[in-house]
Amino acid sequence: MDKNSKYIINPVYKFRNDIHRVIITNQKNYFLEDYEEGSFAEGFSSMIHPYVAFIFSFFDGSNTVLDVYNKLKDSLLIPSDEFCDTISNFIENKETQVFKAGDSTNSIPRNFLVESRPNEIRDDLRISFDMDEMLQGLDLHTIRNYIPNEMTLMLNNTCCTNCIYCYADRETRPTKLIPFNRLRGIIREADELHFRDIGIDGGDFFMYPYWYELLLELKKYEYSPLVSTKYPITKDIVSKLLSVGIKKIQLSLDSVRNQEIRQILKVKDDYLLKVIDGVKILDEAGIEIILKPVITNINDSINSIEELVSFSAQFDNVNDIYLTPADYSQFKTFDYHSSRNRLKLIEEHVPFLKEKYQKNIVMLGYGTDDSIEKKMRMFGNRSTCSGNVSSFFVLPDGKVTLCEQLYWHPFFIIGDLNQQSIMEMWNSEKALSLWNFSQEEVQESSPCKSCNMFAECRRGQGNCWRMAVATYGPDCYDYPSPNCPRAPKITKSMFIPE
């Protein structure tokens, strides 16, 4: 580190006022040009002390490290060398840095400070908050955000296919979709609240009647969601995608063998040819294509996988292929799965395919019925649940639930954005009661009823409500997730066998 050089907070990060603390998170357009993916922590969100944010805010590209020290030295009460040594930990740091400030833990994402480029100045780092007021109500312990940070819009549950492995609730048919004008208002509210991300889900995106208008609205506020589809792409669709600046799309193309596609997706004979034509149109337009084939017991041969990869090799804009084993669906009979032995053979073949076709090919994981010993080792390292903590899921009719795959389960409906604003929904009695769900409310048959880790678990990393419902049934929403060491034995077939 050169203490006389100017450094700037990596433009993919921002500060966010969360009323009683400051949040470091990604910009909503965090895949910025000139910043390589992987050089920053995608999806990062962590609370920090407001005074720490205040110090870092001076790294706006206009100050050297010594400049920052001289502006703050009267309040820092430490020598300049000590300040510079501390700051060096956050300059092009390869890993997340965790440190203590008083009794709070602060996390700073990787590659946080970078050397500023000529004339590069950030004017967005002095976020609007009253330091004295925030310090009076300071909360660096509650995990749930005071203001949500992201949402996913489930636009419909209509598809152009009938996949044998579909995990979506297509049986519940909303009588009326949320009016598009109200959807516009929700997006505007999210922007005013400085949401990091707005995701889209379905059903199939291109079967939503206002998909183009929606992309225009999202673009107006600089949101750029990943479009994922099985719909055969046309020239008209590509023209509209280009007009709103879409540069990447994900296709779930499971095979290039017509017989396999017909069996897996339950489509007509001409479907595969139309999809292949769509890939050609996208490639010629320069739109990056991510392929995400789902592997079932129909297309789990090495030859089928290689034919798909070989097909992709003719296109310059197909670089990423994510092989996805078909997992359990609560809405389907689980008879479409491959076997672990077959999947292992495919995984062992992946390095050969990567080398031969020069593609980024990744074999994704799948659920396993782990031993209690393994669960005990792994449970403390599980991902933190974001549902009703920093995010929420908007159903096609405007009702709000915690996350995907809980759908219209009545216990988890925390509001209705047809009738409420985002913040009214977020602070609703139902949303807060789910966050504060008490052990006294748990039914006697659930192991959570007598667990001495209940509060730490539920208001810490969280229990996966979705997996509890999928595993034990809709009435067992207060059961532990099956990855918990105290979870009851699973009595139905929901894991891929040998």
Side-chain angles (χ1 to χ4, degrees):
M1 181 196 74
D2 181 354
K3 61 181 68 176
N4 292 305
S5 290
K6 294 179 180 180
Y7 294 93
I8 191 171
I9 292 178
N10 191 328
V12 299
Y13 299 121
K14 68 177 180 180
F15 292 135
R16 200 167 171 265
N17 184 348
D18 196 42
I19 302 178
H20 298 297
R21 65 276 186 99
V22 174
I23 300 285
I24 299 178
T25 189
N26 297 114
Q27 298 276 21
K28 57 188 176 185
N29 55 347
Y30 52 83
F31 291 111
L32 298 176
E33 293 184 9
D34 301 326
Y35 281 84
E36 181 182 354
E37 292 181 29
S39 67
F40 56 93
E42 177 187 345
F44 188 87
S45 182
S46 180
M47 68 186 84
I48 61 169
H49 196 287
Y51 190 66
V52 173
F54 175 71
I55 293 172
F56 276 124
S57 71
F58 285 87
F59 290 95
D60 59 2
S62 67
N63 299 304
T64 67
V65 179
L66 280 180
D67 288 338
V68 174
Y69 175 77
N70 288 327
K71 290 181 178 183
L72 296 171
K73 63 182 179 181
D74 290 341
S75 57
L76 288 172
L77 302 177
I78 59 173
S80 63
D81 287 347
E82 185 177 339
F83 176 76
C84 292
D85 286 344
T86 300
I87 292 300
S88 68
N89 294 316
F90 311 111
I91 295 176
E92 298 178 359
N93 50 306
K94 301 301 181 185
E95 302 293 338
T96 297
Q97 298 293 306
V98 180
F99 66 95
K100 286 281 190 179
D103 65 345
S104 67
T105 300
N106 296 256
S107 295
I108 303 297
R110 68 173 179 262
N111 210 33
F112 186 59
L113 296 177
V114 294
E115 197 162 353
S116 62
R117 300 167 183 177
N119 302 316
E120 184 179 29
I121 305 292
R122 292 191 65 171
D123 59 3
D124 63 326
L125 297 175
R126 309 288 201 277
I127 64 172
S128 175
F129 68 89
D130 185 308
M131 179 72 80
D132 291 335
E133 183 178 330
M134 186 173 279
L135 289 175
Q136 286 177 9
L138 187 64
D139 178 5
L140 296 175
H141 301 287
T142 304
I143 290 178
R144 188 178 193 264
N145 285 14
Y146 286 90
I147 302 173
N149 199 21
E150 56 191 318
M151 67 178 173
T152 299
L153 303 173
M154 183 182 177
L155 303 172
N156 57 15
N157 59 355
T158 306
C159 289
C160 59
T161 61
N162 185 20
C163 307
I164 60 173
Y165 52 75
C166 180
Y167 63 80
D169 179 1
R170 295 182 61 192
E171 297 174 0
T172 303
R173 292 293 180 183
T175 55
K176 186 178 180 182
L177 296 180
I178 186 170
F180 187 69
N181 279 339
R182 176 60 192 131
L183 207 56
R184 280 195 175 107
I186 294 168
I187 294 168
R188 184 182 66 251
E189 287 178 49
D191 177 68
E192 291 170 351
L193 294 169
H194 306 288
F195 272 35
R196 176 187 72 196
D197 193 25
I198 298 178
I200 51 177
D201 200 2
D204 197 285
F205 179 70
F206 292 112
M207 296 195 75
Y208 176 62
Y210 305 107
W211 69 262
Y212 178 57
E213 291 82 357
L214 177 67
L215 289 179
L216 285 172
E217 198 69 18
L218 291 169
K219 180 185 179 182
K220 182 165 73 175
Y221 298 103
E222 297 184 321
Y223 291 105
S224 188
L226 177 63
V227 174
S228 181
T229 185
K230 280 184 165 70
Y231 195 88
I233 303 299
T234 64
K235 289 183 178 180
D236 179 60
I237 289 175
V238 168
S239 176
K240 290 177 177 176
L241 291 176
L242 290 173
S243 72
V244 293
I246 296 295
K247 299 177 180 178
K248 181 187 297 187
I249 190 170
Q250 179 174 288
L251 301 180
S252 180
L253 177 58
D254 298 338
S255 175
V256 289
R257 294 178 172 181
N258 196 40
Q259 184 177 1
E260 291 180 354
I261 282 289
R262 288 176 58 202
Q263 287 181 267
I264 297 170
L265 306 187
K266 305 296 184 183
V267 289
K268 296 180 180 178
D269 285 346
D270 61 348
Y271 172 83
L272 180 60
L273 287 176
K274 290 180 179 178
V275 170
I276 289 173
D277 285 343
V279 174
K280 293 175 182 176
I281 295 168
L282 287 164
D283 186 66
E284 290 169 358
I287 295 177
E288 182 182 346
I289 306 163
I290 300 170
L291 293 184
K292 195 174 182 182
V294 178
I295 303 172
T296 68
N297 53 19
I298 295 170
N299 62 337
D300 60 355
S301 72
I302 288 176
N303 286 340
S304 178
I305 299 297
E306 181 154 5
E307 284 180 31
L308 175 62
V309 177
S310 176
F311 162 77
S312 75
Q314 64 184 291
F315 303 109
D316 293 334
N317 292 297
V318 179
N319 296 306
D320 298 309
I321 303 173
Y322 296 96
L323 305 176
T324 310
D327 227 329
Y328 174 78
S329 168
Q330 59 181 308
F331 301 104
K332 296 284 186 176
T333 302
F334 192 47
D335 57 4
Y336 48 79
H337 58 75
S338 180
S339 69
R340 284 187 237 175
N341 292 333
R342 299 284 286 185
L343 295 172
K344 184 178 180 182
L345 288 174
I346 294 171
E347 188 170 17
E348 290 172 346
H349 197 62
V350 164
F352 168 78
L353 294 176
K354 292 173 70 172
E355 178 67 25
K356 181 176 179 180
Y357 296 102
Q358 295 298 297
K359 300 290 183 183
N360 175 41
I361 306 171
V362 178
M363 182 77 168
L364 301 182
Y366 47 90
T368 56
D369 191 6
D370 295 324
S371 66
I372 292 178
E373 291 75 17
K374 185 174 181 180
K375 290 178 181 180
M376 290 181 71
R377 292 196 307 271
M378 301 294 293
F379 192 62
N381 296 319
R382 69 194 185 279
S383 298
T384 299
C385 175
S386 64
N388 200 31
V389 174
S390 61
S391 67
F392 57 90
F393 192 86
V394 185
L395 295 162
D397 56 2
K399 290 184 171 60
V400 181
T401 187
L402 273 59
C403 73
E404 185 184 23
Q405 295 185 48
L406 286 173
Y407 299 111
W408 285 271
H409 192 303
F411 183 75
F412 300 104
I413 299 297
I414 59 176
D416 186 341
L417 291 183
N418 283 305
Q419 303 169 11
Q420 298 168 295
S421 69
I422 288 175
M423 289 307 297
E424 286 171 341
M425 173 277 300
W426 191 250
N427 292 317
S428 68
E429 181 179 351
K430 181 63 176 180
L432 295 177
S433 69
L434 278 179
W435 170 249
N436 293 305
F437 187 65
S438 70
Q439 203 162 14
E440 288 71 26
E441 298 173 79
V442 178
Q443 57 188 306
E444 293 293 336
S445 59
S446 171
C448 294
K449 185 69 173 179
S450 58
C451 179
N452 60 4
M453 302 285 288
F454 182 86
E456 180 182 343
C457 172
R458 295 281 176 158
R459 278 171 284 286
Q461 290 165 286
N463 179 68
C464 183
W465 304 92
R466 175 180 64 83
M467 283 302 298
V469 168
T471 305
Y472 303 110
D475 294 333
C476 298
Y477 50 80
D478 55 2
Y479 274 46
S481 173
N483 64 331
C484 172
R486 296 177 173 86
K489 182 177 176 58
I490 299 169
T491 58
K492 61 183 176 182
S493 174
M494 61 180 298
F495 296 109
I496 296 174
E498 296 292 346

